[in-house]
Amino acid sequence: MSSYRKKGLIFGVLLILGLVSGMFSTVPALEQSDYLIKLSSIKVQVLVAIFFQFTMATVYVCVAVLIYPIIKKYNEGIALAYFGFRIIGAAFLFIGIVSLMLLLFISERFMIESQPDLSYFKTIGELLRLFRDGMNHIGMILPWSLGGLILYFCSFRMNLFPKWLSIWGFIGCNLTLVVTFLLMFDVIKLITPIYFIMNTPTAIFELVLAVYLMMKGFNPIVED
């Protein structure tokens, strides 16, 4: 198997693994008003979510390491910018793991206390929950999408895969950036139709790109 075929296959597998890990890293109970009570009762589910978020963050690091030398063939400075943005995004995911672990701890302490100070636990819990949302949905998404813009610009110029895929990826990243800024400035909320609609093109694109690369690999231009 040629090097560009192998790199494309690995990249495609990593994209699928990242998408699957992202789906299983969610904790719907956090969006409910009584999450402090529920988290301790679904400890296994929370630990599973932590594992998959760790997996997703690790996958993102692997993606950055894999793609950096490819983009470097086009421009070393651009490749460093891509690598930096993607690693920063992964770092925010790792930080988000810590906040989820702390939320689980707070929930367990809340249930153990015979007469818990409700306002105290709610304040700490809400701060941790908002911090986690910020890390996962703003801190990670912004640099990751900026890295995506660089990747799909370079893929278009280098013809790494069909240009229509590069254009799709570029448009998807821009839509994700717009909706993330709307979320950051509290114009929209996290669990809303507009948030999911504007992120859907990127999610579908990554799935299509993954399947294409697993079947075809990168174009021969990236071969060493």
Side-chain angles (χ1 to χ4, degrees):
M1 183 182 291
S2 59
S3 63
Y4 64 86
R5 175 74 177 84
K6 182 185 296 185
K7 289 175 181 178
L9 175 60
I10 294 172
F11 186 58
V13 171
L14 288 174
L15 282 179
I16 295 292
L17 184 56
L19 287 170
V20 172
S21 298
M23 288 188 292
F24 285 103
S25 68
T26 60
V27 184
L30 283 173
E31 304 304 321
Q32 300 177 18
S33 59
D34 58 347
Y35 64 90
L36 279 178
I37 297 174
K38 289 192 173 181
L39 286 183
S40 59
S41 65
I42 56 168
K43 183 175 181 179
V44 173
Q45 181 184 336
V46 176
L47 292 176
V48 168
I50 289 171
F51 169 79
F52 278 106
Q53 184 158 333
F54 178 84
T55 301
M56 180 169 58
T58 303
V59 165
Y60 285 175
V61 171
C62 292
V63 167
V65 171
L66 176 70
I67 297 299
Y68 169 75
I70 296 176
I71 299 181
K72 187 178 178 181
K73 295 175 182 292
Y74 177 72
N75 184 287
E76 185 173 359
I78 290 177
L80 284 172
Y82 163 81
F83 186 79
F85 281 130
R86 287 294 169 103
I87 292 298
I88 290 171
F92 278 119
L93 278 179
F94 283 117
I95 295 172
I97 292 172
V98 177
S99 62
L100 184 54
M101 293 173 66
L102 289 173
L103 273 167
L104 180 59
F105 172 77
I106 291 295
S107 175
E108 291 176 332
R109 293 302 306 172
F110 178 77
M111 297 305 294
I112 290 173
E113 295 284 344
S114 58
Q115 292 183 324
D117 183 343
L118 191 60
S119 62
Y120 170 78
F121 279 97
K122 277 193 171 183
T123 299
I124 298 299
E126 190 63 11
L127 286 173
L128 287 172
R129 189 179 68 84
L130 291 174
F131 180 75
R132 177 178 181 271
D133 284 347
M135 292 297 99
N136 287 358
H137 300 289
I138 298 176
M140 185 279 286
I141 295 296
L142 287 179
W144 185 258
S145 296
L146 290 172
L149 291 177
I150 294 173
L151 171 60
Y152 303 128
F153 168 78
C154 292
S155 67
F156 184 89
R157 296 297 299 271
M158 299 173 70
N159 196 34
L160 294 177
F161 39 79
K163 291 187 183 297
W164 64 270
L165 275 173
S166 298
I167 294 171
W168 184 357
F170 197 85
I171 293 173
C173 282
N174 276 290
L175 289 174
T176 297
L177 281 171
V178 169
V179 77
T180 302
F181 277 116
L182 292 176
L183 179 66
M184 184 170 65
F185 292 109
D186 203 30
V187 177
I188 63 170
K189 299 299 181 183
L190 185 59
I191 308 299
T192 55
I194 186 65
Y195 182 81
F196 288 109
I197 289 171
M198 292 189 71
N199 277 304
T200 296
T202 297
I204 298 175
F205 161 74
E206 290 189 351
L207 181 59
V208 172
L209 180 62
V211 173
Y212 175 87
L213 290 177
M214 286 190 289
M215 294 176 60
K216 300 289 187 179
F218 289 119
N219 286 336
I221 192 171
V222 305
E223 187 170 22
D224 297 328

